[in-house]
Amino acid sequence: MSKQVILTGLRANNDLHIGNYLGALLPLVDMAKTKSSEYQVNIFVPDLHSFTTPIDHSKLQEQIVQNLRVFVAAGLPLDNDNVHIYRQSYIPAHSELTVILNSFAYMGELSRMTQFKDKSEKLENVTAGLFDYPVLMAADILLYNAAYVPVGDDQTQHLEFTRDIAERMNNKFGELFVVPNAVKEQHSFFGKEQGLRIKDLQDPTKKMSKSDESAKGIIFMNDSPEEAKKKIMSAATDSLANVAYDPENQPGIASLLQIHALLKGQSIDESAKEFAGQTQYGEFKAAVAEVVETFLTDFQNNLVSVNDDQLRAKLEASEKAMNLAANQTLHKVQKAVGLRG
């Protein structure tokens, strides 16, 4: 690979909501469009990661395909040779390198991972797959010599682990891997909005999450525009009668301004100026609801119009190229550890 590699993935999820879209998917698509002239952009569905916690396996394949179709509906270009989309499990080197890296990963460092601790506390039976998640993630990155990996706060430890194990292997066997850049450099490269968290409409002190049983504070991507409008109009605000971007004192209004700005493709300052001095929250909510309605209508039309043949062709081409690249790295590692002559 002659160009530096940017690598990112988005887990298959049948309950995609507007928080996922604005916080993860939209930045991913924008990055692919803006960076692909200078970098190779690898975007994959981490399907092997999908069942490190319990799932309905009968729905996984459907979710993987839907995940890919959502990428395209969100604007991911299928005709760009510098953008590759692929399924993790279709590149066997991911699994093979994970097995090798396991013998150089330490139990102590894996057990200290915050995400492992948080998730394992909620499970009756904790799997080795969940414990080993950071090793598979390291393989995902190191196979392609990726320098840039956009990570949210919950993944920073995993990136640092990837850097540690890459340096450990390089020190022992020579220059096997490109060490991905540190978290601070990643944030600088991808911008300060990395890891953006859209807030719950009913409780703007917490992020929008599908774990909210009532779903009243969540706008799902398959909600009808009318349903979304009702949720916006019933969003929690305050009694200050002032539309201003003040996340600390007016989290509900700030969250709605954030949604408005992102969907209109403008800065929060621009949206705040648009409503400056407005004291009627009903009018403000109606304006936000209109933007959300238009967005969902367009997105859902795009999703229905995705050309599955073009998507399949892109997948096949990308997976062929990614197998070649990944196998080169894997073979180098196999030779270094004595598995190949």
Side-chain angles (χ1 to χ4, degrees), residues 264-291:
K264 290 199 72 174
Q266 61 190 32
S267 70
I268 292 176
D269 285 344
E270 287 174 308
S271 285
K273 286 178 182 176
E274 197 172 319
F275 299 103
Q278 192 168 112
T279 60
Q280 298 296 318
Y281 287 168
E283 293 179 16
F284 168 60
K285 287 181 179 180
V288 177
E290 183 179 352
V291 172

Side-chain angles (χ1 to χ4, degrees), residues 180-205:
N181 291 323
V183 171
K184 185 177 180 180
E185 294 172 82
Q186 303 288 354
H187 287 185
S188 176
F189 180 78
F190 289 107
K192 63 182 179 181
E193 289 191 347
Q194 183 183 0
L196 182 68
R197 294 290 183 264
I198 302 300
K199 302 299 183 182
D200 186 281
L201 295 174
Q202 291 298 312
D203 182 1
T205 63

Side-chain angles (χ1 to χ4, degrees), residues 53-270:
T53 52
I55 64 164
D56 182 344
H57 289 267
S58 68
K59 295 181 179 179
L60 180 57
Q61 191 57 219
E62 175 191 339
Q63 290 173 341
I64 291 167
V65 173
Q66 184 68 359
N67 196 212
L68 289 162
R69 296 180 85 250
V70 165
F71 284 167
V72 181
L76 187 69
L78 294 180
D79 57 353
N80 189 325
D81 292 339
N82 290 323
V83 176
H84 299 278
I85 57 173
Y86 56 99
R87 294 157 291 191
Q88 182 188 37
S89 68
Y90 278 64
I91 318 295
H94 286 250
S95 301
E96 294 188 45
L97 182 58
T98 299
V99 172
I100 295 173
L101 293 181
N102 273 335
S103 293
F104 300 92
Y106 304 145
M107 294 283 287
E109 61 188 348
L110 293 177
S111 64
R112 288 192 294 272
M113 296 291 164
T114 302
Q115 192 175 85
F116 170 72
K117 292 178 182 178
D118 291 345
K119 289 188 175 182
S120 60
E121 285 177 358
K122 301 170 186 175
L123 298 172
E124 183 177 348
N125 295 304
V126 181
T127 67
L130 180 60
F131 185 74
D132 207 34
Y133 182 108
V135 185
L136 177 56
M137 180 172 164
D140 297 337
I141 296 167
L142 299 177
L143 279 170
Y144 305 99
N145 297 315
Y148 295 103
V149 185
V151 288
D153 292 340
D154 58 342
Q155 295 284 344
T156 56
Q157 275 188 311
H158 295 169
L159 181 63
E160 290 303 332
F161 167 78
T162 300
R163 286 170 48 79
D164 288 344
I165 201 167
E167 290 172 348
R168 189 177 304 155
M169 297 285 283
N170 287 350
N171 290 337
K172 187 174 181 66
F173 298 107
E175 295 302 308
L176 292 177
F177 301 118
V178 169
V179 179
N181 291 323
V183 171
K184 185 177 180 180
E185 294 172 82
Q186 303 288 354
H187 287 185
S188 176
F189 180 78
F190 289 107
K192 63 182 179 181
E193 289 191 347
Q194 183 183 0
L196 182 68
R197 294 290 183 264
I198 302 300
K199 302 299 183 182
D200 186 281
L201 295 174
Q202 291 298 312
D203 182 1
T205 63
K206 66 180 185 180
K207 74 173 184 178
M208 192 176 284
S209 171
K210 67 174 183 175
S211 61
D212 176 13
E213 293 181 5
S214 74
K216 292 180 179 178
I218 310 167
I219 296 176
F220 290 102
M221 300 298 286
N222 59 0
D223 278 350
S224 71
E226 294 75 20
E227 287 176 307
K229 179 180 180 179
K230 289 178 183 177
K231 290 179 179 180
I232 292 288
M233 295 306 294
S234 64
T237 51
D238 53 59
S239 59
L240 298 178
N242 179 42
V243 177
Y245 186 70
D246 185 350
E248 185 174 343
N249 297 309
Q250 294 184 270
I253 295 297
S255 181
L256 291 174
L257 280 170
Q258 191 176 50
I259 292 171
H260 181 272
L262 288 167
L263 291 182
K264 290 199 72 174
Q266 61 190 32
S267 70
I268 292 176
D269 285 344
E270 287 174 308

